[in-house]
Amino acid sequence: MADADTTRRAALAFGLAVLSVVLLGAGLAAGSEGWSPAEAWRLATSPDGPLLIGQIRAPRTLGAWLVGALFGLAGAIAQGLFRNPLADPYLLGSASGASLGVVLVLGGSALTGHAIGHATADAVSRLGLIGAAFLGALGGVSLTLTLARGTAHTVRLLLAGVIVGVVLGAASDLVTTFAPDALRGKQAFLLGSTGFLGWDSCWALAAGLVVSAPVAWRFARALDALTLGEDSATSLGLSLTRVRIVLVVALALATGLAVSQAGLVAFVGLVAPHLVRRFTASTHGYLLLASAGTGGALLLGADVLARTLIAPQELPVGVLTAVIGGTYLLWLLHRRKLT
């Protein structure tokens, strides 16, 4: 049985690597005219190739994979930390905090646009949007930790996350009431988009993944112990407070970076760990890394579809991930009812 599980884990790792490479190639071939490898090759060898392929399609494609990987990793951390298969990266208030940060920037830009000029206001909005989303996500998690008085009690932490999500969501709606021009930008942020990813975004996302993945993997055995219950984990000599703090920081970092660059992409962080568990049983050490790879492949595949399904128009990638992820979870629920 152990040999069979090892084989399945190796097969999954190989399959994810091959699928990611294929999707990276598909992303380079997906443009305003749909998916066309021949057209992509023509563009690559044309004078405009370095701009269209090297500066637009390539960073967007790689960035989409990195965003998905961060969401997949964050989802696996959340589900292991809270011992709940329905936990997702947005559980601790990061989504509502990021949304509020974006709305504040957009609302401030709209309110000051007439005073300082719309061109200047738009430049300020673009420059501050990513930072506001990232700081808002971290702020939401920090507020949750403050209300929960740390990470000692899992139930209190979950309840605090729900409360923070509701309160910050209401604050975001209040801002858009006074600055209606921010509503459109907020809607685009909530739907998720990979259209603004550049090489700077890729470097930031890669750095976040390089930092958060090893930290999470380092505490994978602690997550394995938590599956036995908190009392059992404590009896094994684990400092649960320290474990929770480190993992919450890794979760907040991964989620905050992903959200700041691509908006609130739905279901990737929730579905990726489920797909890995369905394919093979494994410890959290493998689950965390495989979930990152699965999340990257999921979001990149959705991004290629978003660019090509109704080309030259483009679908919001978050809508596709919600449809795909929601359909999968409904099918999984229906299958379990039948069995």
Side-chain angles (χ1 to χ4, degrees):
M1 184 66 180
D3 290 338
D5 289 337
T6 301
T7 301
R8 291 177 69 86
R9 287 194 290 268
L12 178 59
F14 179 76
L16 287 174
V18 172
L19 179 60
S20 295
V21 171
V22 170
L23 289 174
L24 287 170
L28 295 178
S32 60
E33 300 301 323
W35 187 75
S36 175
E39 179 66 14
W41 176 255
R42 187 190 69 79
L43 288 174
T45 56
S46 70
D48 295 331
L51 174 62
L52 293 176
I53 303 296
Q55 298 299 322
I56 297 178
R57 293 189 189 179
R60 175 174 181 171
T61 300
L62 179 60
W65 190 93
L66 290 170
V67 169
L70 285 171
F71 276 130
L73 176 66
I77 294 173
Q79 292 177 16
L81 184 61
F82 298 109
R83 291 175 291 160
N84 188 336
L86 294 180
D88 72 356
Y90 304 142
L91 198 60
L92 298 182
S94 58
S96 54
S99 179
L100 178 59
V102 167
V103 167
L104 286 174
V105 171
L106 293 175
S109 177
L111 291 175
T112 60
H114 295 290
I116 65 176
H118 286 293
T120 305
D122 289 343
V124 172
S125 176
R126 286 194 296 269
L127 290 174
L129 203 59
I130 292 175
F134 181 68
L135 293 177
L138 296 185
V141 175
S142 299
L143 183 57
T144 298
L145 292 175
T146 301
L147 290 177
R149 301 176 207 170
T151 60
H153 301 285
T154 302
V155 175
R156 183 186 295 169
L157 193 60
L158 290 174
L159 290 176
V162 172
I163 294 171
V164 168
V166 172
V167 172
L168 296 186
S172 177
D173 293 336
L174 185 62
V175 172
T176 57
T177 300
F178 290 100
D181 291 341
L183 186 59
R184 185 173 182 178
K186 176 187 175 182
Q187 183 180 15
F189 178 78
L190 293 176
L191 291 176
S193 174
T194 56
F196 301 102
L197 294 173
W199 285 117
D200 289 342
S201 300
C202 291
W203 284 115
L205 292 166
L209 188 61
V210 167
V211 171
S212 56
V215 170
W217 185 82
R218 168 67 177 78
F219 286 85
R221 290 190 176 183
L223 292 176
D224 293 336
L226 274 174
T227 60
L228 304 175
E230 294 187 4
D231 293 337
S232 298
T234 303
S235 68
L236 293 174
L238 289 177
S239 175
L240 292 184
T241 300
R242 176 171 171 264
V243 168
R244 290 195 183 103
I245 290 175
V246 173
L247 290 176
V248 165
V249 170
L251 170 63
L253 176 63
T255 306
L257 271 174
V259 167
S260 68
Q261 299 294 336
L264 302 183
V265 178
F267 274 103
V268 173
L270 178 62
V271 169
H274 280 273
L275 290 173
V276 176
R277 291 193 199 95
R278 185 162 185 80
F279 190 85
T280 180
S282 65
T283 60
H284 278 89
Y286 180 87
L287 176 65
L288 291 167
L289 300 182
S291 295
T294 303
L298 280 175
L299 185 55
L300 180 52
D303 180 57
V304 172
L305 288 176
R307 285 190 263 168
T308 56
L309 281 179
I310 57 172
Q313 294 182 344
E314 188 174 311
L315 290 170
V317 69
V319 173
L320 283 180
T321 59
V323 170
I324 295 171
T327 301
Y328 169 74
L329 290 179
L330 286 174
W331 172 81
L332 189 62
L333 179 63
H334 176 69
R335 185 179 178 87
R336 288 188 176 180
K337 282 185 178 180
L338 291 178
T339 56

